[in-house]
Amino acid sequence: MKTVRLIYQKTGRAKYISHLDLNRLMQRVLKRTRLPVWYTEGFNPHAFVTFALPLSLGYESRYDCMDFRILNDDLRNDQMLQVLRRALPPDIQALEVIDPVLKAKEVAFAAFELELTCDTDTAAQLTAFLQSDHILVEKRNKKKEIITMDIRSKIRQMEIIPTEDGLQIRLLLPAGPVENINPALLLEAAENSGCVFDVRSVVREMLYDKNMNIFR
Amino acid sequence: MTELQLHKLLRGVQKPGRYTGGELNSVVKNKDAVDVRFAFCFPDTYEIGMSHLGMKILYALLNDMDGVWCERVFAPWVDMEQNLRREGMGVYALESLDDIAQFDIIGFTLQYELCYTNMLHMLDLSGIPLHSKDRHSLHNLVVVGGPCTCNAEPIADFVDVAFLGEGEEQMVQFVQLYKEYKANGADKQSFLKAAAQIRGVYVPSLYTVSYHPDGTVEAVTAESGAPLPIQKYIIQDLDTAFYPKDFVVPYIEVVHDRAVEEVFRGCIRGCRFCQAGMIYRPVREKSWETVSKQAKCLCDSTGYEEISLSSLSTSDYSQLEPLLNDMLEWTQQDQVNISLPSLRIDTFSPELLEKISRVRKSGLIFALVAGRQLLREVINKNLDEDVILQSCETAFRGGHCNVKLYFMLGLPTETLEDIEAIGQLGQKIVNRFYAMPDKPKGRGVQVSISLATFVPKPHTPFQWMAQDKLQTIRDKQRHLVESLTTRKISVSWHESQASVLEAVFARGDRRLSKVLCRAHELGCKFDGWHECFDMHKWEQAFADCGLSIEFYANRERSYEEVLPWDHLDYGITKGFLKRENERAKAAQTTKNCREQCAGCGANRLLRGGTCFENC
């Protein structure tokens, strides 16, 4: 038995699939492939899968990972990729099947690309807000208490690019089991500061480990 | 609709996955290359509609036709409705995201009476005129099917065509005819006249109903050579009938999220309250080889981890033993669970329980319907108490410590003793558990009693009976709860006001179209959902139209009365229904079809004219 990692994109209408639904979907995808996948042996046998990092409902992803176990060690990764491609719905595209290099818990950063629509005044206001020294947001910690946090210091990289009808924001944020910052927090803070804009899309572009190696 | 428009539309909507489409196995065609666009509408939420087998069959069937594209449409929930109005959009189909107003044929499947307002609501949101007479062209033809069309009269003013019976063959003929008429630029009226000649196609506008001064029907007359009565369509041979090779697999969790394989149609039992047991006659089985093959094909194409063997009473399938043995060969290997949704308690054996629990264990529900032996004889639910208790013990031994029992309140001849008997039966089941020397350790027993309200339905032996008044039903519910002495038994029930409305529309006449229209204007929708249902609005709608709820729900009809659905022939004869009603009054049971033919008349629909060898 070996563990393999599927790298896939989740775009278009697939962004409306929640994490829980994605889990169920992947169960069925694996079943359709008829690959010799390892099933748990409890009361409710199911394919054992692990996602590197759950994605919020409404976000697209250009690089996502799911691990599963395969009983036949001789199966080649490219063979599995072929059958997975056929079994996945159109808006979820398999990119690669690899032998995992890193453990799922080693995800440390995620890159996002946000497309906002707003007028030019708001764009300027928003840019100033995002570039200020402190951005305070309210967040629930693991004990469910509401804490105030300065999110500015958490943003590892930020690039703000004016577009025809608003802004494109590229962010590198902490992600994973240790610390996880959802870009929605930043947008919420911006809204609370009085900026009026539409979020056209949020795309998670890439996952990295703590040394900024691509998560593989 | 563009992705961006969809994104805007879905902002703030709960469960956006209901409205996006794009699921595996959904069919996308080039709309410019098809001749007929068919919007298959389910007038309830996505989760309910996507659980419905009939829609899956017809969706696959229509999309198999050349030049036809069938798409799915569901009723938008109230939050989505607001967004649609905000964006100035109508109800749209999930495959193309096009408004239903762009479709040639708009079909609704009517599974229960309380969805009628949703049909109007959906048409209205897309700006389609509600009344058949106001839609002048062949475009936007509104058609309906499903069990409710066995009395299509309350919706007669709205629909152009109602399909009676089973759709697999009739639908193909109908759509083919539509294609020809559309290509020739024909008008709606000439098409409807021609369509009425297809077996099972009922065109309400070709019939005139006259009434007596007391509001009962005087007569129904046909125009333009339309048939009278209109006979339902049935499939002669299920082995060769169309069955889908795949299902659309939803992303979000739906009510019945599994593959479904139909094993037979009709029911041998003849329970007198049960409409399905009457209108789907005669009984026709699929061979076990076909069932197993089709089931395997569905599991492979969908990846479902569960397959349900569907029918009105699956344990009555004559080939269940060879079927299960054959299916277990592949289901165990593929980690697929078999579920038998409609088990009769008297056919429930340890062997059967073991087979269906092989991969995963699921819950057990038994429909006992009445608590006392005598009342079970009245309704022809032929179950002995000993058998019930024995089967519960079997379930306990199999590790099922929770059993769910289903009963009906308000059955004809029912007394308070019958009500108490429900609780007593529950108590006997609890006692049986504790009397078992080898009862499962460390776990208690839980008997859940679920109560429905009896609704007299057309085409059943009880079609002449009055429904209990609302207050009587409520008294009975309270009486049962008060008679219980243990917490091992829990009781739950549905809102009975809605059952009153169901009774009205189940046996209603054409005059009710006015009430439906008025209720729709008053904002009635999703009447099957307690959070949306508003009885006051309905009472107002009836008052505004000068019609009475009691006339339809609580009035006993005489055998002489012309019933609003008498011109719709479902095979079973009125003579048979009368006989059965009389036997009910005398508490006489009738044997099941396999034991002895009761002469219901449905065999006339079969080529050869016999359902069983002993007919």
Side-chain angles (χ1 to χ4, degrees):
Chain A
M1 184 158 66
K2 64 170 179 178
T3 299
V4 289
R5 179 163 292 162
L6 166 69
I7 300 173
Y8 62 93
Q9 294 190 334
K10 183 167 170 274
T11 56
R13 295 195 217 171
K15 72 179 179 183
Y16 301 108
I17 306 171
S18 70
H19 183 64
L20 212 63
D21 292 336
L22 181 70
N23 215 318
R24 197 171 35 243
L25 175 125
M26 287 300 191
Q27 293 288 330
R28 290 169 187 164
V29 166
L30 289 173
K31 198 151 242 166
R32 284 196 295 271
T33 62
R34 304 197 69 82
L35 288 169
V37 172
W38 182 72
Y39 276 74
T40 60
E41 283 152 3
F43 286 107
N44 180 26
H46 57 276
F48 187 79
V49 299
T50 312
F51 291 89
L53 190 64
L55 188 70
S56 298
L57 182 65
Y59 291 6
E60 292 174 84
S61 167
R62 288 201 216 287
Y63 189 92
D64 241 333
C65 299
M66 180 189 79
D67 297 353
F68 58 98
R69 293 182 192 169
I70 205 91
L71 294 169
N72 180 357
D73 289 353
D74 300 333
L75 264 172
R76 292 198 324 270
N77 290 342
D78 62 315
Q79 289 175 313
M80 286 188 269
L81 179 66
Q82 287 311 314
V83 289
L84 278 161
R85 281 206 168 128
R86 279 197 297 271
L88 282 161
D91 285 341
I92 297 179
Q93 304 97 24
L95 300 176
E96 247 185 306
V97 172
I98 57 167
D99 297 327
V101 179
L102 298 162
K103 292 197 175 89
K105 63 178 181 194
E106 291 181 84
V107 172
F109 294 100
F112 289 92
E113 187 183 288
L114 284 58
E115 294 278 353
L116 310 183
T117 39
C118 56
D119 56 45
T120 24
D121 289 348
T122 311
Q125 191 189 350
L126 202 56
T127 308
F129 174 80
L130 291 171
Q131 287 169 342
S132 54
D133 291 342
H134 300 282
I135 301 174
L136 297 180
V137 298
E138 287 191 334
K139 193 191 178 202
R140 273 178 203 280
N141 66 8
K142 282 185 178 156
K143 291 176 191 159
K144 304 263 173 197
E145 299 157 345
I146 294 176
I147 51 158
T148 306
M149 183 177 70
D150 183 3
I151 201 176
R152 186 67 189 87
S153 60
K154 310 278 184 193
I155 301 173
R156 183 75 176 248
Q157 281 173 29
M158 178 163 60
E159 208 179 333
I160 304 170
I161 306 151
T163 57
E164 248 174 51
D165 55 355
L167 288 177
Q168 189 192 69
I169 306 169
R170 303 171 74 92
L171 293 165
L172 186 66
L173 294 171
V178 182
E179 183 168 40
N180 197 61
I181 302 288
N182 191 319
L185 275 176
L186 194 65
L187 295 176
E188 209 176 295
E191 267 175 350
N192 291 341
S193 81
C195 298
V196 182
F197 55 87
D198 264 350
V199 184
R200 189 191 292 161
S201 66
V202 179
V203 182
R204 197 166 74 192
E205 295 283 344
M206 188 49 75
L207 301 175
Y208 301 97
D209 74 356
K210 63 178 192 307
N211 301 319
M212 285 303 290
N213 297 313
I214 288 177
F215 180 81
R216 281 181 73 82
Chain B
M1 200 189 313
T2 62
E3 295 279 336
L4 186 60
Q5 282 174 311
L6 185 66
H7 174 78
K8 274 190 177 165
L9 181 62
L10 294 179
R11 190 167 305 156
V13 164
Q14 278 183 21
K15 301 193 193 172
R18 284 168 166 174
Y19 310 109
T20 56
E23 308 95 320
L24 186 96
N25 297 334
S26 57
V27 180
V28 176
K29 297 190 181 182
N30 175 2
K31 64 180 164 193
D32 300 321
V34 295
D35 308 312
V36 180
R37 295 188 69 186
F38 195 114
F40 199 117
C41 309
F42 195 99
D44 209 316
T45 61
Y46 178 89
E47 291 93 317
I48 311 259
M50 282 300 288
S51 306
H52 178 239
L53 177 61
M55 184 177 206
K56 296 175 200 291
I57 296 177
L58 294 175
Y59 178 79
L61 174 89
L62 289 167
N63 281 323
D64 254 21
M65 289 178 73
D66 268 345
V68 180
W69 185 14
C70 174
E71 304 184 40
R72 295 160 301 140
V73 187
F74 302 93
W77 188 245
V78 274
D79 58 346
M80 180 60 170
E81 179 201 335
Q82 280 181 1
N83 284 16
L84 284 169
R85 290 188 194 279
R86 186 191 69 204
E87 302 288 324
M89 296 169 76
V91 176
Y92 60 87
L94 292 183
E95 281 75 5
S96 62
L97 305 181
D98 283 341
D99 193 310
I100 58 171
Q102 296 180 30
F103 283 72
D104 295 301
I105 305 177
I106 303 168
F108 286 89
T109 176
L110 301 175
Q111 297 293 313
Y112 27 85
E113 294 79 3
L114 297 178
C115 70
Y116 290 170
T117 48
N118 266 15
M119 173 173 80
L120 303 184
H121 180 55
M122 288 167 78
L123 291 173
D124 197 28
L125 273 171
S126 282
I128 298 164
L130 300 184
H131 290 86
S132 168
K133 64 175 167 49
D134 299 328
R135 296 185 301 266
H136 304 292
S137 79
L138 211 47
H139 188 66
N140 285 172
L141 196 76
V142 175
V143 305
V144 294
C148 286
T149 58
C150 78
N151 177 22
E153 297 307 284
I155 47 162
D157 289 358
F158 310 115
V159 306
D160 298 313
V161 167
F163 295 111
L164 312 186
E166 297 161 4
E168 289 100 326
E169 290 167 4
Q170 165 201 52
M171 191 64 98
V172 174
Q173 292 175 32
F174 180 83
V175 173
Q176 207 63 47
L177 189 74
Y178 183 93
K179 203 165 132 181
E180 286 163 29
Y181 273 68
K182 186 188 169 189
N184 297 336
D187 64 299
K188 178 175 170 182
Q189 213 44 39
S190 59
F191 169 72
L192 288 178
K193 276 180 203 160
Q197 299 304 321
I198 300 174
R199 161 84 60 92
V201 170
Y202 173 43
V203 179
S205 60
L206 299 181
Y207 300 82
T208 310
V209 184
S210 57
Y211 298 89
H212 290 297
D214 66 358
T216 56
V217 173
E218 186 192 15
V220 175
T221 47
E223 294 158 28
S224 314
L228 190 71
I230 307 99
Q231 199 175 59
K232 76 158 177 172
Y233 198 106
I234 67 158
I235 299 298
Q236 297 286 333
D237 179 6
L238 287 187
D239 273 333
T240 53
F242 179 87
Y243 203 75
K245 292 179 184 62
D246 56 28
F247 285 177
V248 175
V249 185
Y251 289 136
I252 65 169
E253 194 162 18
V254 300
V255 180
H256 297 298
D257 208 0
R258 58 180 85 101
V260 183
E261 172 64 21
E262 189 182 21
V263 292
F264 68 94
R265 282 190 195 166
C267 179
I268 61 169
R269 296 290 168 172
C271 301
R272 291 173 181 137
F273 57 87
C274 178
Q275 186 184 46
M278 298 291 159
I279 63 170
Y280 293 124
R281 288 183 178 213
V283 171
R284 286 145 294 150
E285 291 193 341
K286 254 184 217 171
S287 70
W288 64 265
E289 293 93 338
T290 307
V291 173
S292 183
K293 198 174 77 202
Q294 291 180 344
K296 171 100 171 67
C297 175
L298 273 180
C299 288
D300 287 350
S301 64
T302 59
Y304 271 123
E305 51 290 293
E306 182 168 57
I307 178 122
S308 162
L309 297 177
S310 166
S311 74
L312 292 170
S313 176
T314 298
S315 46
D316 285 332
Y317 180 53
S318 66
Q319 306 295 312
L320 194 58
E321 187 74 26
L323 172 66
L324 288 178
N325 289 338
D326 187 69
M327 283 182 70
L328 283 168
E329 293 281 323
W330 57 268
T331 54
Q332 266 180 290
Q333 193 192 336
D334 294 356
Q335 304 278 3
V336 170
N337 188 33
I338 302 174
S339 90
L340 302 183
S342 318
L343 276 186
R344 258 183 83 90
I345 196 165
D346 55 354
T347 50
F348 183 72
S349 66
E351 296 76 33
L352 187 61
L353 183 65
E354 190 274 324
K355 280 184 183 134
I356 59 173
S357 321
R358 198 76 68 83
V359 178
R360 277 176 208 91
K361 193 173 279 181
S362 44
L364 289 177
I365 307 176
F366 295 120
L368 304 184
V369 191
R372 203 151 66 124
Q373 197 68 36
L374 181 70
L375 188 55
R376 283 199 296 272
E377 279 161 20
V378 168
I379 60 175
N380 206 39
K381 183 87 191 178
N382 303 330
L383 290 175
D384 280 331
E385 190 167 292
D386 293 343
V387 176
I388 295 172
L389 294 174
Q390 188 53 50
S391 293
C392 287
E393 190 172 322
T394 305
F396 296 150
R397 278 186 207 288
H400 292 265
C401 293
N402 299 327
V403 287
K404 198 167 176 184
L405 308 176
Y406 169 86
F407 292 95
M408 231 178 235
L409 287 190
L411 288 163
T413 76
E414 185 180 74
T415 63
L416 285 185
E417 276 147 45
D418 289 307
I419 304 299
E420 288 155 18
I422 294 174
Q424 287 157 6
L425 183 56
Q427 186 63 53
K428 283 177 198 162
I429 293 171
V430 171
N431 295 348
R432 186 70 168 236
F433 177 84
Y434 286 106
M436 279 165 58
D438 52 347
K439 61 174 177 290
K441 292 257 171 344
R443 277 197 289 174
V445 61
Q446 187 65 44
V447 176
S448 311
I449 292 176
S450 160
L451 299 175
T453 303
F454 169 62
V455 177
K457 294 269 179 160
H459 302 285
T460 69
F462 291 152
Q463 64 177 354
W464 293 278
M465 310 304 273
Q467 189 186 40
D468 266 354
K469 292 234 161 145
L470 191 56
Q471 195 50 51
T472 314
I473 292 290
R474 287 186 172 154
D475 291 345
K476 285 177 174 176
Q477 288 163 345
R478 206 179 49 236
H479 190 74
L480 174 58
V481 173
E482 283 168 0
S483 75
L484 294 177
T485 53
T486 168
R487 286 206 299 209
K488 303 275 175 211
I489 304 175
S490 62
V491 182
S492 61
W493 58 77
H494 291 290
E495 172 52 49
S496 23
Q497 274 185 329
S499 306
V500 175
L501 214 57
E502 219 182 306
V504 169
F505 287 103
R507 293 186 297 170
D509 53 38
R510 284 191 183 189
R511 298 177 304 165
L512 288 177
S513 288
K514 269 187 303 187
V515 178
L516 280 169
C517 198
R518 182 70 190 127
H520 163 70
E521 286 165 12
L522 292 169
C524 291
K525 60 195 161 199
F526 285 106
D527 294 301
W529 296 76
H530 70 90
E531 56 267 65
C532 294
F533 180 68
D534 185 348
M535 194 61 182
H536 296 300
K537 283 185 186 157
W538 279 101
E539 282 162 354
Q540 191 191 330
F542 276 93
D544 291 351
C545 298
L547 290 170
S548 113
I549 290 177
E550 292 75 22
F551 174 85
Y552 294 101
N554 310 116
R555 181 174 64 90
E556 186 171 340
R557 281 79 162 161
S558 76
Y559 287 148
E560 289 69 43
E561 184 175 329
V562 177
L563 301 172
W565 55 92
D566 274 352
H567 58 298
L568 308 180
D569 178 4
Y570 271 66
I572 37 175
T573 62
K574 212 169 174 182
F576 164 73
L577 296 178
K578 280 180 198 166
R579 255 184 351 259
E580 280 295 292
N581 192 25
E582 287 306 312
R583 290 178 75 89
K585 286 176 186 162
Q588 286 176 327
T589 59
T590 296
K591 288 198 165 123
N592 76 50
C593 298
R594 210 166 268 150
E595 291 171 330
Q596 189 180 49
C597 177
C600 71
N603 58 317
R604 292 176 299 134
L605 301 172
L606 287 170
R607 270 180 230 124
T610 44
C611 329
F612 290 94
E613 279 151 19
N614 53 358
C615 250

